[in-house]
C-alpha cells in the first residue's frame, strides 16, 4: 500500500539544526556543496569537511544510517566514477601499481578515484541534511523568501511559492487516490504485471484516466474554493509566517564560515608557506596528495 | 457456499514505527444469500476486513475461505490458481466508485471486468447488456455514451454494473449511498435488494447510516478497534446492544421499537420501516379497540 | 430583521456542448428565482441533486454571476469587480469535499490563506487564525498536517478558513455530505454555535435532520423554489417532498401520518423519543 511518502525524507527530531532559519540552511547547504565540488581539493580538507558534516549530523540527532541511505541512490554513479578514474587515469611510470593484461593502474588514478567518490558522498550527504532537517513547507518559505528580490523585476515569486505549497499539499492526497484506483481496478481483475511492454503500458490506462479526470475536478473545486476565500493573485498577499533571522542562526553561520572557510583557505594557501609553518614531515602526511 | 473467517489478524507496516494492527482475531461465518451490514467508526477495521474477501489484501494470520476456496495459500503456484478461481466471485464496489470510471464508452467500462476474465466476445456482450439493465439504465441510451457525460447517480450505477458484469456471488459495497440525495439512496438500495432477490447474491454493505442498515439488512456486524464487537440479527442488535458508546447512532425505528416495548405496547412483527411501523400501530390500535368493545 | 442578500428574478443556466463544440442552452441551474436572506437567520436550502441548490449557493458570493436578474449582497453588486471582492470578504463558503479546498499542508497556514489574500498584517493575521481555530475547537491542531485528520476535523478547519476572513454570512455547500455521522454532528454543532453568536448561516444540504434545525427552509426543485417556510410548515408537505426526491425525517413522517390516521399525536414531531412516549401514553390508555 502506498501510504504517506516521506517527501524530501524529512526526519523529525527536536534539534537546533531543525529550528534554524530555512533560508540560512539553503544558503549554507549550497555553499557546502560548492566548497566540496569546486573549492577543496585535498584529503586533509575533505577530512575537515566530513568532520564538520558528522558533527552537524550528531547535533541534528538524526541516525547516521538515515543520512547514509541518501548515498544509496548515487552508489552506482560513485562506482562508475571510481572505475573510470582507476582505469583511465595514467600517471608516471613510478606510480604504476598494477600492470596486468590491458589494465594499468596508477597510484594517482587511485587517489583521484578516492577523491571523486569522497566528494560525491560528501555532496549528497550535505544536500540531504537540508531536506532531512527542513520540512518541505519550510523549504518553500525559504525559497520564496530568498527569491523575493526577483519580485522587483516582476518575477511572480509569490505565485511560484503558492504552486509549490499546493503541490506539497496534494501529493499525499493524490497518492492515496492512486492507491484506491489501483485497488478498484484490481478488484475488477486488472493485472499490471503480465504481458509485454505494450500490454503493461495499456494496463495503466484504467488508472491514469480516472486519476487525470479526478485531478481536473479537484483543480476546479480548489480554484473555486480559493476564489471564495478572496484570492486575486499573489501580488498583495501578506504571510502568516515571517522568517526571522535569530541569534542562533548567526551563531550557526559563524561556525560554518570558520570551519568550511578554514578548509577552503588551507586548500589555497601556498605550499611553501605551509611547509615552513607545520614542518615538512607533517605536511607530507596531511597533504600527501598535493 | 459461504465465507468462513477464523482468527483473522492483520497489521499495517509491520515492524516499523508506523505499525498499526487493523484486525485482531476476527472469526465469523457468512452464509449464502445473507444481507449483512458492516458498521463501526472510521479505522475500526471494517474496510481492511472486506478487502481480504477478494484477496486485495494478502492474509497475514488466520484462515479465510470463500465458497470453499482457501484464500490463505502461500505457495505461489497454488495462489495463482486460487486467484484465478476467485476472480469475479467477490465483487467489490468501492466508496464513490464513479471516480474509477475510465473508458470512452459505458459499454467498454462495464466490459473491463469480463474482459479481464478472458470471456468470449459474445459472453461479454451478454453480460454487459444484462448488467446495464440490472442497474436500471436504458441500454440503448447509455451504451455508447461516455461515462463522464452522465449524472452522478447514473455514473454510480455504471460503476456498479461494471462489478455486476463479473457475476459475483458475493457483493461487497463500501458506503454505496455516500453523497447521494435521498431519492438516489433509495434507488440504489432498492436495486441491491432486487438483485439479491433475483440471483441469491450475498451482500455485505459497509454503512454509516444506521437507519439504512436497520431497514435493509438481516444481520449486522459491528467492528471496533479491529475486533468484532457485535454480530447479531439486525433487529436484535439494536434492541440489546448499547451502540452509542461506539459512536453509532441508534436507528429511529429501533428507538421507537424499544420505547414501545418498554411502555408495554407489543406490536406484531418486526417493524424496520416507517411504513411497517405505521401499519403495525394502526393495527394495534384497532385490535385493542375491538377487544374493548367485545369486553 | 434586516435583508442582507436580495436575489431578484435570477436565472443562471449551465451550457452543454455538442460534439462539434456548439453551445446548447439547458435549463439546468436556477430559473427566475427570488430569494431574500435575513441577518442572523439559519437558512436551509434543500433539494435533490441537480435541483439548482449549489448554483444558488455560488450566486451568494459571486462565484458565478447571474445571467439575468440581480443579486445584491449588503447592497453590493457582484457584477462590479471592486464590489465583488468586498462581497467575498463578507460571505464565507465551505464546500463539499474537505480535501479539495485546502491549499496548505499545515493547518494554520491553510486557515491564514483568506486573510493573507486580504493583505492583513502579520500580527492581526495571527490573532485571526488563532481565534478562528479556537471557535471551531481545532486550536490544538494548528501546526498539524491536515491529511491525517478525520473528515469532520478537516471540514471544521475549512470553516475556520472561512471565519478567518471575518465574514458576516457563512454558506455551507453540502459541507457534511461526505462525512460520517460523527463528523456531521461535529460540523453541525459548530455551525449552530456560530449562528447563535450572530453569523448568518445558509446551509445547502440533503440531510433533512439538518434542515429541521434551521429557522427557515427553502426547497428547490428543477431550478425553482418549490416550498418555503419554517421547517414545520415545509415538512408537513411530506408527499410533495417525496415527489421531489426528498425525504422527511422518519419521526416527522411517522407522526404526521399517524395524526392523519386519527392518532392524537403532534403531526410534526422531530424527536422520536417524544413520539414514542406519547404513543405509549395513548395506547396504554385504551
Amino acid at each position: 500500500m502506498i501510504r504517506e511518502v516521506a517527501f524530501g525524507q524529512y526526519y523529525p527530531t527536536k534539534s537546533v539544526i531543525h529550528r534554524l532559519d530555512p533560508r540560512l540552511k539553503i544558503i549554507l547547504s549550497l555553499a557546502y556543496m560548492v566548497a566540496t565540488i569546486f573549492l577543496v581539493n585535498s584529503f586533509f580538507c575533505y577530512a575537515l569537511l566530513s568532520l564538520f558534516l558528522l558533527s552537524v549530523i550528531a547535533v541534528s540527532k538524526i541516525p547516521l544510517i538515515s543520512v547514509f541511505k541518501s548515498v544509496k541512490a548515487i552508489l552506482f554513479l560513485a562506482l562508475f566514477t571510481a572505475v573510470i578514474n582507476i582505469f583511465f587515469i595514467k600517471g608516471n611510470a613510478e606510480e604504476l601499481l598494477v600492470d596486468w593484461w590491458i589494465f594499468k593502474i596508477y597510484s594517482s588514478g587511485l587517489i583521484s578515484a578516492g577523491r571523486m567518490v569522497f566528494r560525491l558522498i560528501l555532496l549528497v550527504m550535505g544536500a540531504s541534511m537540508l531536506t532531512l532537517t527542513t520540512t518541505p513547507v519550510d523549504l518553500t518559505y525559504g525559497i520564496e523568501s530568498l527569491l523575493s528580490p526577483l519580485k522587483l523585476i516582476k518575477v511572480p515569486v509569490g505565485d511560484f511559492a503558492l504552486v509549490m505549497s499546493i503541490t506539497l499539499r496534494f501529493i499525499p492526497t493524490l497518492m492515496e487516490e492512486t492507491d484506491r484506483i489501483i485497488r478498484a481496478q484490481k478488484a475488477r481483475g486488472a493485472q499490471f504485471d503480465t504481458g509485454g511492454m505494450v500490454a503493461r503500458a495499456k494496463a495503466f490506462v484504467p488508472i491514469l484516466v480516472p486519476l487525470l479526470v479526478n485531478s481536473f475536478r479537484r483543480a476546479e473545486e480548489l480554484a473555486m474554493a480559493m476564489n471564495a476565500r478572496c484570492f486575486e493573485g499573489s501580488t498583495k498577499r501578506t504571510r502568516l509566517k515571517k522568517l526571522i533571522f535569530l541569534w542562533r542562526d548567526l551563531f550557526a553561520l559563524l561556525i560554518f564560515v570558520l570551519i568550511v572557510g578554514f578548509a577552503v583557505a588551507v586548500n589555497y594557501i601556498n605550499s611553501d608557506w605551509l611547509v615552513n609553518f607545520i614542518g615538512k614531515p607533517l605536511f607530507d602526511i596531511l597533504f600527501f596528495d598535493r | 457456499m459461504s465465507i468462513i473467517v477464523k482468527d483473522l489478524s492483520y497489521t499495517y507496516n509491520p515492524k516499523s514505527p508506523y505499525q498499526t494492527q487493523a484486525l485482531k482475531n476476527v472469526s465469523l461465518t457468512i452464509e449464502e444469500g445473507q444481507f449483512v451490514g458492516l458498521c463501526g467508526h472510521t479505522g475500526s477495521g471494517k474496510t481492511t476486513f472486506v478487502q481480504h474477501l477478494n484477496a486485495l489484501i494478502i492474509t497475514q494470520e488466520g484462515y479465510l475461505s470463500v465458497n470453499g476456496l482457501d484464500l490463505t495459500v502461500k505457495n505461489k503456484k497454488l495462489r495463482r490458481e486460487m486467484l484465478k478461481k476467485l476472480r469475479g466471485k467477490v465483487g467489490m464496489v468501492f466508496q464513490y466508485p464513479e471516480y474509477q470510471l475510465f473508458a470512452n464508452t459505458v459499454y467498454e467500462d462495464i466490459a473491463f471486468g469480463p474482459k479481464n476474465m478472458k470471456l468470449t466476445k459474445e459472453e461479454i456482450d451478454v453480460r454487459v447488456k444484462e448488467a446495464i439493465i440490472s442497474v436500471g439504465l436504458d441500454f440503448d441510451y447509455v451504451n455508447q455514451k461516455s461515462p463522464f457525460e452522465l449524472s452522478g447517480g447514473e455514473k454510480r450505477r455504471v460503476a456498479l454494473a461494471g462489478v455486476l458484469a463479473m457475476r459475483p456471488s458475493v457483493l461487497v459495497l463500501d458506503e454505496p449511498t455516500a453523497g447521494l440525495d435521498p431519492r438516489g439512496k433509495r434507488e440504489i438500495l432498492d436495486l441491491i435488494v432486487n438483485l439479491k432477490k433475483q440471483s441469491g447474491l450475498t451482500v455485505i454493505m459497509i454503512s454509516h447510516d444506521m437507519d439504512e442498515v436497520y431497514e435493509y439488512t438481516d444481520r449486522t456486524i459491528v467492528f471496533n478497534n479491529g475486533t468484532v464487537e457485535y454480530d447479531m440479527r439486525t433487529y436484535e442488535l439494536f434492541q440489546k446492544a448499547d451502540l452509542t458508546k461506539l459512536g453509532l447512532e441508534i436507528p429511529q425505528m429501533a428507538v421507537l421499537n424499544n420505547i414501545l416495548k418498554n411502555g408495554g405496547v407489543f406490536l406484531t412483527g418486526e417493524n424496520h420501516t416507517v411504513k411497517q411501523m405505521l401499519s403495525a400501530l394502526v393495527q394495534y390500535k384497532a385490535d385493542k379497540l375491538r377487544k374493548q368493545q367485545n369486553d | 430583521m434586516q435583508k442582507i442578500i436580495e436575489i431578484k428574478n435570477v436565472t443562471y443556466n449551465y451550457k452543454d456542448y455538442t460534439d462539434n463544440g456548439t453551445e446548447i442552452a439547458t435549463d439546468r441551474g436556477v430559473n427566475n428565482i427570488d430569494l431574500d436572506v435575513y441577518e442572523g437567520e439559519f437558512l436551509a436550502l434543500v433539494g435533490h441533486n441537480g435541483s439548482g441548490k449549489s448554483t444558488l449557493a455560488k450566486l451568494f458570493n459571486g462565484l458565478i454571476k447571474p445571467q439575468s436578474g440581480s443579486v445584491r449582497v449588503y447592497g453590493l453588486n457582484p457584477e462590479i469587480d471592486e464590489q465583488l471582492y468586498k462581497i467575498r470578504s463578507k460571505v464565507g463558503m465551505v464546500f463539499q469535499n474537505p480535501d479539495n479546498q485546502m491549499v496548505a499542508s499545515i493547518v494554520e497556514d491553510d486557515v491564514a490563506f483568506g486573510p493573507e489574500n486580504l493583505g492583513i498584517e502579520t500580527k492581526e493575521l495571527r490573532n485571526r487564525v488563532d481565534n478562528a481555530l479556537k471557535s471551531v475547537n481545532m486550536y490544538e491542531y494548528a501546526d498539524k498536517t491536515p491529511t491525517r485528520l478525520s473528515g469532520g476535523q478537516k471540514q471544521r478547519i475549512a470553516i475556520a478558513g472561512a471565519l478567518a476572513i471575518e465574514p458576516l454570512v457563512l454558506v455551507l455547500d453540502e459541507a457534511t455530505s461526505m462525512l460520517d455521522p460523527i463528523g456531521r454532528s461535529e460540523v453541525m454543532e459548530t455551525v449552530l454555535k456560530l449562528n447563535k453568536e450572530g453569523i448568518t448561516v445558509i446551509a445547502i444540504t440533503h440531510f433533512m435532520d439538518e434542515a429541521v434545525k434551521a429557522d427557515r427552509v427553502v426547497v428547490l426543485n428543477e431550478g425553482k423554489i418549490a416550498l418555503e417556510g419554517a421547517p414545520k410548515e415545509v415538512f408537513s408537505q411530506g408527499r410533495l417532498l417525496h415527489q421531489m426526491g426528498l425525504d422527511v425525517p422518519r419521526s416527522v413522517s411517522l407522526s404526521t401520518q399517524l395524526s392523519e390516521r386519527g392518532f392524537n399525536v403532534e403531526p410534526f414531531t422531530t424527536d422520536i423519543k417524544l413520539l414514542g412516549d406519547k404513543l405509549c401514553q395513548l395506547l396504554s390508555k385504551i
Side-chain angles (χ1 to χ4, degrees), chain B residues 31-252:
Chain B
E31 300 297 338
E32 199 181 332
Q34 276 189 334
F35 196 147
V36 181
L38 277 191
C39 310
H41 57 80
T42 316
S44 60
K46 53 192 192 315
T47 308
T48 310
F49 173 72
V50 295
Q51 293 196 7
H52 273 89
L53 299 180
N54 65 346
L56 270 181
I57 288 182
I58 298 172
T59 41
Q60 283 175 346
E61 251 180 272
Y63 176 78
L64 167 65
S65 76
V66 175
N67 291 353
L69 264 181
D70 182 359
L71 265 67
T72 58
V73 283
K74 293 279 187 289
N75 178 301
K76 261 197 180 158
K77 200 174 151 240
L78 290 176
R79 187 166 173 83
R80 210 173 304 131
E81 268 170 41
M82 178 276 290
L83 285 174
K84 214 178 218 173
K85 280 188 200 149
L86 182 72
R87 197 177 292 166
K89 283 270 179 300
V90 180
M92 180 84 186
V93 182
F94 281 76
Q95 239 180 75
Y96 297 96
E98 58 273 26
Y99 293 157
Q100 283 122 35
L101 298 174
F102 70 94
N104 285 329
T105 65
V106 168
Y107 184 96
E108 255 180 82
D109 209 292
I110 297 175
F112 182 64
K115 257 186 200 158
N116 287 328
M117 292 169 80
K118 309 267 171 359
L119 299 174
T120 62
K121 222 176 165 189
E122 292 73 35
E123 178 67 17
I124 292 175
D125 207 51
V126 170
R127 287 191 176 203
V128 171
K129 237 176 225 166
E130 174 195 278
I132 290 182
I133 292 165
S134 73
V135 295
L137 291 173
D138 179 358
F139 180 80
D140 294 321
Y141 171 66
V142 295
N143 173 30
Q144 286 309 314
K145 260 201 157 159
S146 158
F148 301 108
E149 282 173 26
L150 303 176
S151 78
E154 287 170 333
K155 275 185 202 162
R156 187 161 299 187
R157 282 149 184 262
V158 169
L160 181 60
V163 173
L164 291 173
M166 297 171 82
R167 285 198 191 143
S169 53
V170 177
L171 185 64
V172 179
L173 302 145
D174 191 351
E175 292 196 57
T177 62
L180 295 179
D181 59 11
R183 182 191 285 163
K185 279 185 187 182
R186 229 178 305 116
E187 281 171 354
I188 287 276
L189 287 168
D190 289 344
L191 198 146
I192 293 163
V193 169
N194 269 336
L195 280 168
K196 195 178 151 288
K197 257 187 211 153
Q198 281 166 15
S199 58
L201 205 62
T202 308
V203 181
I204 300 172
M205 176 173 80
I206 293 180
S207 177
H208 285 303
D209 185 337
M210 293 302 123
D211 288 307
E212 197 173 280
V213 169
Y214 197 64
E215 275 181 27
Y216 286 90
T217 67
D218 312 318
R219 168 186 173 189
T220 304
I221 301 171
V222 181
F223 275 82
N224 187 33
N225 284 331
T227 58
V228 173
E229 187 87 18
Y230 296 105
D231 181 358
M232 277 190 241
R233 247 171 30 86
T234 302
Y235 186 74
E236 280 169 35
L237 174 76
F238 291 105
Q239 217 170 24
K240 291 178 181 162
D242 180 18
L243 296 170
T244 42
K245 68 176 196 296
L246 295 181
L248 299 177
E249 283 173 343
I250 311 295
Q252 299 240 303

Side-chain angles (χ1 to χ4, degrees), chain C residues 52-274:
Chain C
K53 57 189 193 305
S54 280
T55 311
L56 194 52
K58 290 178 185 84
L59 283 163
F60 290 136
N61 82 342
L63 284 174
I64 53 176
K65 286 161 199 167
Q67 286 159 350
S68 71
S70 78
V71 176
R72 291 289 179 278
V73 180
Y74 287 94
L76 300 163
N77 183 357
E79 290 167 83
I80 301 167
D81 266 355
E82 300 101 66
Q83 299 191 11
L84 173 68
Y85 294 111
K86 274 189 193 146
I87 289 177
R88 287 187 181 160
S89 66
K90 291 188 195 302
V91 182
M93 280 195 86
V94 178
F95 297 89
Q96 184 175 25
N97 191 332
D99 281 327
N100 296 353
Q101 46 188 319
M102 297 210 168
V103 289
S105 19
I106 303 285
V107 168
E108 59 182 7
D109 290 350
D110 187 72
V111 174
F113 181 74
E116 281 176 347
N117 289 333
L118 295 174
I120 308 290
E121 280 317 310
T122 307
K123 210 173 149 200
E124 164 72 5
L125 248 172
R126 174 49 66 188
N127 277 336
R128 283 193 180 200
V129 170
D130 290 353
N131 289 338
L133 279 170
K134 276 175 191 159
S135 70
V136 298
N137 248 330
M138 287 297 288
Y139 183 61
E140 67 263 45
Y141 293 90
D143 57 351
K144 300 278 185 297
T145 144
T147 34
R148 292 195 194 173
L149 303 180
S150 75
Q153 289 173 322
K154 285 183 196 169
Q155 281 305 58
R156 273 146 68 203
I157 290 164
I159 293 175
L163 290 181
I165 301 169
E166 300 192 336
L168 300 164
V169 184
L170 190 60
V171 179
L172 303 153
D173 188 0
E174 296 196 44
T176 60
S177 74
M178 293 182 79
L179 307 180
D180 62 8
I182 300 176
R184 274 179 57 203
S185 62
E186 281 172 11
V187 169
M188 275 315 283
E189 266 167 41
T190 308
V191 170
L192 285 169
K193 189 196 93 179
L194 292 170
N195 182 237
K196 246 184 214 148
E197 289 167 6
I199 288 189
T200 308
V201 173
I202 305 173
I204 288 96
T205 181
H206 48 234
F207 288 111
M208 297 305 146
D209 50 342
E210 289 173 5
V212 163
K213 296 183 177 119
D215 300 319
R216 190 157 65 105
V217 180
V218 169
V219 183
L220 278 142
N221 193 42
E222 315 302 340
K224 288 198 157 63
I225 291 177
L227 279 171
E228 184 183 349
K232 208 168 187 164
E233 292 158 22
V234 169
F235 287 123
S236 63
Q237 308 283 324
R239 195 152 299 133
L240 196 58
L241 290 172
H242 196 80
Q243 280 167 7
M244 292 188 289
L246 294 169
D247 267 342
V248 173
R250 285 172 174 79
S251 60
V252 173
S253 162
L254 184 63
S255 59
T256 312
Q257 291 185 64
L258 282 171
S259 92
E260 280 169 15
R261 304 279 185 103
F263 280 71
N264 187 21
V265 292
E266 273 288 313
F268 183 84
T269 314
T270 49
D271 186 349
I272 194 81
K273 283 182 189 147
L274 228 65

